[in-house]
Amino acid sequence: MSYRRDHHSSKSALFDGFDKLEEGGLRASSSFSHEIEDHDNDKAIDSLQDRVAFLKRLTGDIHDEVESHNRLLDRMGNGMDATRGIMSGTMDRFKKVFEKKSNRRMCTLVVGFVVSFLIIYYLVRMLRYVRG
């Protein structure tokens, strides 16, 4: 019950002089509030204009970055196509070499020497590491 009384008393304190206001005073207050609202609206519009300008610059930068990446990917694709052509030619040459038995034996001999050399090199290096 005391809450209702307090609420009622605070309401009456807020609106005590409301009945005594003249119509001219009410208009002045109303025009003042319109000026404040106009000022707040102008601030909000300026803020929105700044945000829109920022977003416009940001989207422009994103667009430029996307175009740059697209150009990079196109160049990469062209490079990959060129590499594919080179690899295809190399594979064709390997096929020609391995078609003949004598060439196959020669390649096996060369690969054997290279592998032997790598094993000997690795063992010598390990012996130096163990002694040193």
Side-chain angles (χ1 to χ4, degrees):
M1 200 50 105
S2 69
Y3 170 74
R4 286 184 182 175
R5 221 176 317 142
D6 290 340
H7 183 66
H8 181 67
S9 66
S10 65
K11 255 182 154 178
S12 65
L14 280 174
F15 297 109
D16 267 350
F18 190 69
D19 294 335
K20 298 175 186 173
L21 282 177
E22 294 178 358
E23 193 147 311
L26 194 57
R27 269 194 213 122
S29 173
S30 176
S31 68
F32 182 70
S33 68
H34 285 298
E35 287 177 14
I36 290 174
E37 288 175 4
D38 287 343
H39 182 70
D40 289 345
N41 285 342
D42 289 341
K43 280 185 180 179
I45 288 172
D46 289 341
S47 173
L48 283 175
Q49 285 175 341
D50 292 342
R51 289 179 184 177
V52 167
F54 172 74
L55 288 174
K56 186 176 180 181
R57 283 192 309 270
L58 183 63
T59 55
D61 292 344
I62 290 171
H63 178 73
D64 293 343
E65 191 69 23
V66 167
E67 284 187 348
S68 169
H69 284 178
N70 282 339
R71 284 191 301 273
L72 176 69
L73 289 173
D74 286 342
R75 286 193 307 259
M76 258 173 107
N78 293 339
M80 292 296 281
D81 290 341
T83 304
R84 186 177 299 125
I86 292 170
M87 289 297 292
S88 174
T90 303
M91 291 303 293
D92 289 341
R93 287 187 200 111
F94 271 120
K95 286 178 185 176
K96 285 180 185 176
V97 167
F98 282 111
E99 282 177 357
K100 297 179 183 173
K101 275 193 170 188
S102 62
N103 289 338
R104 201 176 324 159
R105 286 185 185 159
M106 180 60 88
C107 285
T108 305
L109 185 64
V110 169
V111 169
F113 279 127
V114 170
V115 170
S116 300
F117 175 77
L118 290 174
I119 290 172
I120 292 170
Y121 176 77
Y122 178 72
L123 289 174
V124 169
R125 217 164 158 208
M126 288 301 290
L127 287 174
R128 284 186 187 172
Y129 179 73
V130 171
R131 287 186 184 173

